[in-house]
Amino acid sequence: MQEDKIIELKNIEKICGDRKILNIDNFAVLKNKFNFIIGGNGSGKTSLLNILCLVDQDYQGHLYYKGQKINKEQQNLELRRKFSVIWQDPYLYRGDVFYNIALPLKLRNINQNLINKKVKEIAARLEIQNLLEQSAHTLSGGERQKTSIARALITEPEILFVDEATTNLDEESIQFFNSHFADLVTDEMTVVMVSHDRRQIKQLADQITLLKNGEIKTTKKLNNFNFELFGAGIESPIVEIV
Amino acid sequence: MQEDKIIELKNIEKICGDRKILNIDNFAVLKNKFNFIIGGNGSGKTSLLNILCLVDQDYQGHLYYKGQKINKEQQNLELRRKFSVIWQDPYLYRGDVFYNIALPLKLRNINQNLINKKVKEIAARLEIQNLLEQSAHTLSGGERQKTSIARALITEPEILFVDEATTNLDEESIQFFNSHFADLVTDEMTVVMVSHDRRQIKQLADQITLLKNGEIKTTKKLNNFNFELFGAGIESPIVEIV
Amino acid sequence: EVLTMATTTSTENSGLLEELLPPFEEKFEVRVDVVAVGTGAAIELGRNGDADIIFVHAREAENEFVANGYGVNRRDVMYNDFVILGPPSDPAGIKETETAVEAFQKIESEGAEFISRGDDSGTNKKELSLWDNAGITPDGSWYLESGQGMGPSINMANERQAYILADRGTYLAYSGDIELEIVNSGDPVLFNPYGIIPINPAYHRHVNYQLAMALTGYLTSQQGQNIINNYQRYDEQLFYPSAIEAENLEE
Amino acid sequence: MDYYTDAIFRALELIITLDSEVIQIVTTSLKISISSTFIASIISIPLAIVIARNKFKTKKFINIILNTLLSLPTVVVGIFVYSLISRRGIMGELDLLFTPTGIIFGQVLLIIPLITALIRNVIFSMDEKLYKTAVSMGASRRQKFKLLISEARYGIIGAVIAGFGRVLGEIGVSMMLGGNIKGVTRTITTAMSLETNKGRFAFALALGIILLSLSFLINLITYYLQEGKNYARR
Amino acid sequence: MDYYTDAIFRALELIITLDSEVIQIVTTSLKISISSTFIASIISIPLAIVIARNKFKTKKFINIILNTLLSLPTVVVGIFVYSLISRRGIMGELDLLFTPTGIIFGQVLLIIPLITALIRNVIFSMDEKLYKTAVSMGASRRQKFKLLISEARYGIIGAVIAGFGRVLGEIGVSMMLGGNIKGVTRTITTAMSLETNKGRFAFALALGIILLSLSFLINLITYYLQEGKNYARR
Ligand SMILES: Nc1ncnc2c1ncn2[C@@H]1O[C@H](COP(=O)(O)OP(=O)(O)OP(=O)(O)O)[C@@H](O)[C@H]1O
Ligand SMILES: Nc1ncnc2c1ncn2[C@@H]1O[C@H](COP(=O)(O)OP(=O)(O)OP(=O)(O)O)[C@@H](O)[C@H]1O
Ligand SMILES: [Mg+2]
Ligand SMILES: [Mg+2]
């Protein structure tokens, strides 16, 4: 595995009201790797993800994609369409589950037959095929989460951003989710993942970045995973997970 | 420990549209115990909780509190005020964190000084004291969850209902949460908990009920916890957690 | 005390009432509430007992009102006159006509556009009676019914360069803003008599009949008639008193 | 056609000289439209909540009727209320015709459908979890109701502002039920209508400018009262 | 005072006999108010979204102005448009005065503030996550816009219905700019106003009943078109 940097951040600052919620000098997402972002609640993980996936373009500093500086004033539509995000608290649109899963493809003007096929495929894999015609707002917590996962995976993104996606999932689904990813990443996918799940991290992580109060405390690249090494010298109890 | 039944359900059916989402002949919540409800996504855990905590009174069948039948046509305000719920997907009201945590006490017409004292106390224990004046809709996922936990605990309920409350929480907070409960339950609290968290269940459960497709597959009372015994003969992968 | 008088919009718009009523209000320590609406509506208000007295110009309807017992002691108070207005270019050549009926006949024969108020007001009724006298049933694309008050109708005629029958008071009020000119006036049939009718207290027991009669008396008294006679706007006399002989008036 | 400069000058003149007649009609207008809005809101808010939140058989029908009543013309309200408060009407004894109270009566009926329909739309769009959470926190019916109003407050204020705008700028009801009596029931709009009929467009416009300035002022105050900061932030 | 039975009988009579004059004014009314609502909506929807979603310096001010314009009286709109389209106005050449188009012009101006303000309120209350999610799904600006409209559709339809009701029941603008010319620009409301001035209250009410029936019909159709089932379910 090479260690290409697919996204790089330089001198990022993000201020909300009178709080500086992010302050990052340097950060890179490694290509074709599992990049984990961990940290306590409110440490800035979601905010960082927002910036990485180009959803939030209102910050100080610069973002590079494959070495090229991204213009924050632009839509960057083409680039954004290579990304997918599974949000911590997914928003589903008014309509049924099918509509929600199909949306990203519709936005890319894919033809309806292909959409039908793909939606059915992904829904079957996530075992929500019987919910396709159910109104999204009547779903259970886990069903919502699965719908949002299906919606993110359906575009076969180059980079997948995941913000605590296994929240609300049952054991079976978490297993599927984790193994599915391991499959996917061999297929040239890069994953950026926020997680509190110790097992998930153990199983998947190639790089772990620890955030605290909006700053990066440590970044470790891991080939042969070594928890003790990583944890050494950092006071945050977060590290105990790893 | 006695095994008093504080809540009992008899012949419960709940129908949504053309799906029967709950069908339970018999279920009891044990007093001063940790009652876990487990099951796959969409198995009806949240729906059952809604009925137990009197939020949903629109179903077939009957609910008994300490042996007394509860009239579904009534508000049951007094009884409801003995309960607290931590929801799977917490709703916070427009206003700051303080307002949200204080709300249940305000609804009970507690005097403002006492409210101030209690809010500060609980916020400090959950380490969100510095967020008290922050607008609730700017909180991070974990911060929202903690706020909703504080809001539920502040009334010192007789029965606490918890629907995957550790969702989104960091390791430290989960630890606090679990140990806090262990403390609380000795103080005459009954807990009904929906969880996918194997560790939590191991650590806390007195009774485990497994739901599947809205029906109860097994209920086990556990003194000396024995996973193998419990799991035997049940096909659901859920059981593997236990 | 309050006396409610229902009258037509044109009466109020002329500004006469603001001169005419204050001396009465002072003398009788009363407030006169003037409600200005369409002629038909004013009569309907009287019929329902929502006014103590009505002051309108629609002789036939007034007679019917009294005949039906809704009002008593109708008095003539004053008159003004109608004028026929038209564009300065006068395409139908109305300026050459003598009588109003002649003018109407020419308008029809030339097919010139004419605006009718079409609202059953005193003015509208006068116009219809003129068409009747001229032996014409007004119809066709040259004849437009505006269904509006005098002012807006004059405006419409001005915009469309059409002919219209208008009361002199309203015409004068608009004369600064419009191009229309008087093309025919002075024919006695164009006189426009105003009558005042107290509501019958036998029919509506609550009405303030005493004060209504007092107002009737005042308007037809020498004082009231003098004020009417001396009321001028735009340097012209708008109304002519009709309750007492001209020689009994003062300048 | 230089209505505008003329109108603006006249408006300024009327405002600066504190023309007593203008002050009087402005006061009347304000008093009437604030009262109407207040009373209509008191009625509409609970009504809207009942319609939006309760399940009853005729709900669909009621909703369509409510939307229909949005096109209620002032004349219909005028005639209807007139028939009640006229001397020959069943409320004739109360002597409400040609009084500010009469106008308020009519205006309240005029805007109840508007305010109710708009608030109903707001309540419809609220997150269902609001209610569940309120119940689980131990809210009584009354408290749930209050909490709902507090959550929906920006939407409710928006609806009330729309209702206020409607009555402040309304002419037909004020004309028919008030009678445009000078010094008693003459409002800014009926005065405008009168001036327009007289052909004094510039003067009518001047009154219109005063009306809009007044409305601006009231909206400015409302804006700051309703936690302007939060409102702006969203 | 038996206006009502009289009015209902007359209304039925007019409807049953298909009175040709009534058919004519009903058609005119419908044509005008549907056109006005359509044009105003086309303008208001993007306008509302721009105001609600963008951050700009004068936003607070624009919002207050928008609320202020809710009290725009018909007379002001009437005079304003009149001054533009009258023979002496800058658009005089177009001969719009006393035509249905003239009325539409005025009505569009009258309801743009209403529809815009109401839709703005709806957009304000949408969940912020809607936008984030749309962007992350790869929506272009245009698609984000469409998605927003689709999410807010019930609120938007509610606002448009309110606007439609306003113009259908509106009198002042139709009167001033249309001139209530029989057979040309006479609408249900101007005819009602005329009958009221004539003192023929029952006949005016009969027209009012026809207007409300019409509005009911249109709302019924709208209700079913807008996925009545979903709407009712909430
Ligand atoms: N209005 C409705 N119409 C149809 N199905 C519904 C409706 N409401 C809920 N359901 C279904 O009922 C089932 C049970 O939902 P519930 O929220 O109780 O599940 P859960 O066990 O809490 O699942 P999770 O672990 O995902 O939170 C789900 O499959 C859900 O889709
Ligand atoms: N508009 C705002 N004003 C003030 N503080 C804000 C605002 N938006 C976000 N924050 C704060 O920024 C911090 C970082 O938020 P973020 O959502 O990135 O946290 P996180 O690491 O994802 O936490 P979690 O694990 O709880 O999801 C939080 O403390 C949050 O309260
Ligand atoms: Mg987060
Ligand atoms: Mg659930």
Side-chain angles (χ1 to χ4, degrees), chain C residues 83-98:
Chain C
V83 293
I84 301 174
L85 305 177
S89 58
D90 193 17
I94 306 303
K95 279 177 184 158
E96 288 119 51
T97 58
E98 287 288 321

Side-chain angles (χ1 to χ4, degrees), chain C residues 4 9 12-13 18 31 33-36 44-45 47-50 151-152 155 173-174 177 203-204 206, chain D residues 1 3 82 85-88 95 97-98 175 178-182 184 186 194-201:
Chain C
T4 306
T9 346
E12 190 180 39
N13 290 357
E18 280 167 46
R31 193 181 85 206
D33 281 356
V34 178
V35 178
E44 182 73 7
L45 287 177
R47 203 196 308 275
N48 291 338
D50 292 319
N155 247 321
Y174 273 75
D177 283 325
Y203 195 86
H204 283 296
H206 65 273
Chain D
M1 183 130 344
Y3 294 144
Y82 172 77
I85 67 177
S86 146
R87 262 294 160 173
R88 290 209 279 174
D95 261 335
L97 190 63
F98 306 138
M175 204 58 141
N180 189 24
I181 297 169
K182 190 175 164 184
V184 185
R186 184 160 298 173
L194 178 65
E195 296 303 327
T196 309
N197 278 330
K198 285 188 192 168
R200 295 168 64 185
F201 289 171

Side-chain angles (χ1 to χ4, degrees), chain D:
Chain D
M1 183 130 344
D2 218 6
Y3 294 144
Y4 302 104
T5 44
D6 196 11
I8 291 167
F9 274 116
R10 272 182 200 243
L12 284 177
E13 192 186 311
L14 289 174
I15 294 168
I16 291 166
T17 59
L18 287 174
D19 182 288
S20 73
E21 204 185 321
V22 169
I23 291 177
Q24 208 267 321
I25 63 176
V26 166
T27 321
T28 311
S29 282
L30 263 189
K31 221 171 52 188
I32 291 175
S33 43
I34 290 176
S35 309
S36 308
T37 312
F38 182 76
I39 298 171
S41 303
I42 295 285
I43 299 170
S44 300
I45 295 174
L47 192 61
I49 294 179
V50 167
I51 292 175
R53 293 290 306 157
N54 285 28
K55 279 177 190 146
F56 46 92
K57 253 168 128 184
T58 50
K59 182 164 179 164
K60 207 185 275 192
F61 182 71
I62 297 270
N63 273 319
I64 300 177
I65 288 288
L66 202 54
N67 289 349
T68 300
L69 290 179
L70 291 176
S71 55
L72 201 61
T74 49
V75 178
V76 171
V77 175
I79 296 176
F80 173 68
V81 175
Y82 172 77
S83 76
L84 294 179
I85 67 177
S86 146
R87 262 294 160 173
R88 290 209 279 174
I90 48 169
M91 297 169 70
E93 294 294 304
L94 299 176
D95 261 335
L96 297 179
L97 190 63
F98 306 138
T99 65
T101 316
I103 303 181
I104 293 172
F105 187 177
Q107 288 190 342
V108 166
L109 293 189
L110 182 71
I111 56 168
I112 281 181
L114 179 66
I115 302 185
T116 306
L118 295 181
I119 297 182
R120 175 204 58 188
N121 295 351
V122 171
I123 307 280
F124 265 164
S125 71
M126 302 299 291
D127 194 329
E128 196 64 26
K129 282 178 280 179
L130 184 161
Y131 310 103
K132 232 170 104 167
T133 308
V135 173
S136 75
M137 288 191 312
S140 65
R141 265 203 206 100
R142 202 191 154 81
Q143 289 173 329
K144 208 168 92 182
F145 187 85
K146 275 162 79 177
L147 214 49
L148 170 57
I149 291 178
S150 147
E151 275 303 275
R153 60 181 177 270
Y154 295 119
I156 291 175
I157 290 171
V160 170
I161 286 175
F164 176 74
R166 181 78 182 93
V167 290
L168 187 65
E170 174 282 325
I171 299 176
V173 169
S174 307
M175 204 58 141
M176 288 187 70
L177 301 176
N180 189 24
I181 297 169
K182 190 175 164 184
V184 185
T185 53
R186 184 160 298 173
T187 64
I188 308 181
T189 53
T190 58
M192 282 170 69
S193 168
L194 178 65
E195 296 303 327
T196 309
N197 278 330
K198 285 188 192 168
R200 295 168 64 185
F201 289 171
F203 194 72
L205 262 189
L207 288 172
I209 293 171
I210 291 176
L211 181 135
L212 289 174
S213 314
L214 201 68
S215 173
F216 180 78
L217 215 74
I218 290 173
N219 276 299
L220 196 74
I221 295 169
T222 318
Y223 198 93
Y224 283 102
L225 286 185
Q226 68 173 327
E227 307 152 62
K229 264 191 309 181
N230 289 327
Y231 198 85
R233 189 159 62 200
R234 287 187 306 163

Side-chain angles (χ1 to χ4, degrees), chain C residues 57-99:
Chain C
H57 57 115
R59 184 59 71 85
E60 266 177 46
E62 289 171 43
N63 289 342
E64 193 190 320
F65 188 75
V66 173
N68 287 335
Y70 296 117
V72 289
N73 297 327
R74 182 192 172 283
R75 288 286 180 277
D76 279 329
V77 177
M78 62 191 190
Y79 65 89
N80 66 350
D81 66 336
F82 292 116
V83 293
I84 301 174
L85 305 177
S89 58
D90 193 17
I94 306 303
K95 279 177 184 158
E96 288 119 51
T97 58
E98 287 288 321
T99 66

Side-chain angles (χ1 to χ4, degrees), chain C:
Chain C
E1 261 185 301
V2 175
L3 184 73
T4 306
M5 176 165 89
T7 185
T8 63
T9 346
S10 57
T11 320
E12 190 180 39
N13 290 357
S14 70
L16 171 68
L17 296 177
E18 280 167 46
E19 298 269 319
L20 195 53
L21 293 178
F24 173 77
E25 290 179 303
E26 216 165 282
K27 195 189 272 174
F28 287 84
E29 290 180 343
V30 59
R31 193 181 85 206
V32 180
D33 281 356
V34 178
V35 178
V37 289
T39 307
I43 290 172
E44 182 73 7
L45 287 177
R47 203 196 308 275
N48 291 338
D50 292 319
D52 299 306
I53 191 164
I54 62 175
F55 189 26
V56 294
H57 57 115
R59 184 59 71 85
E60 266 177 46
E62 289 171 43
N63 289 342
E64 193 190 320
F65 188 75
V66 173
N68 287 335
Y70 296 117
V72 289
N73 297 327
R74 182 192 172 283
R75 288 286 180 277
D76 279 329
V77 177
M78 62 191 190
Y79 65 89
N80 66 350
D81 66 336
F82 292 116
V83 293
I84 301 174
L85 305 177
S89 58
D90 193 17
I94 306 303
K95 279 177 184 158
E96 288 119 51
T97 58
E98 287 288 321
T99 66
V101 168
E102 247 178 81
F104 270 41
Q105 280 165 339
K106 198 144 189 221
I107 289 172
E108 193 252 4
S109 63
E110 297 285 326
E113 195 164 276
F114 184 90
I115 306 287
S116 164
R117 281 178 62 179
D119 63 350
D120 280 355
S121 60
T123 311
N124 184 225
K125 284 178 175 151
K126 171 64 77 182
E127 176 217 316
L128 291 176
S129 77
L130 287 173
W131 289 117
D132 201 34
N133 290 349
I136 294 167
T137 315
D139 202 5
S141 61
W142 59 276
Y143 186 79
L144 290 185
E145 285 185 46
S146 75
Q148 293 197 78
M150 196 70 257
S153 298
I154 291 178
N155 247 321
M156 186 182 293
N158 184 56
E159 281 291 333
R160 301 187 63 108
Q161 299 288 291
Y163 292 92
I164 186 171
L165 180 73
D167 69 275
R168 189 182 290 271
T170 310
Y171 162 65
L172 287 174
Y174 273 75
S175 55
D177 283 325
I178 59 175
E179 294 165 17
L180 297 184
E181 293 175 352
I182 295 178
V183 292
N184 183 301
S185 66
D187 186 339
V189 302
L190 292 178
F191 284 178
N192 177 28
Y194 283 75
I196 191 157
I197 315 175
I199 304 305
N200 187 352
Y203 195 86
H204 283 296
R205 208 161 298 158
H206 65 273
V207 296
N208 203 333
Y209 179 67
Q210 295 286 329
L211 272 178
M213 283 308 292
L215 180 62
T216 310
Y218 164 76
L219 290 182
T220 52
S221 73
Q222 197 167 40
Q223 186 187 6
Q225 295 281 298
N226 275 331
I227 293 174
I228 292 169
N229 198 35
N230 294 330
Y231 182 68
Q232 295 226 329
R233 262 186 103 177
Y234 320 104
D235 297 325
E236 281 197 48
Q237 180 167 357
L238 291 189
F239 297 99
Y240 300 88
S242 59
I244 57 180
E245 297 300 322
E247 57 262 32
N248 295 330
L249 294 168
E250 295 162 7
E251 272 307 304

Side-chain angles (χ1 to χ4, degrees), chain A residues 6 17 26-27 32 41 52 54 61 90 96 119 122 125 129 145 147 153 156 162 170 172 176 182 192 230:
Chain A
I6 189 161
N26 225 305
F27 175 74
N32 297 353
N41 291 135
L52 288 171
L54 304 180
D96 59 18
V119 171
I122 192 91
R125 289 180 77 172
Q129 64 273 56
Q145 195 64 272
T147 304
L153 294 179
E156 293 164 13
V162 186
D170 58 35
E172 184 181 13
F176 161 78
V192 180
F230 182 62

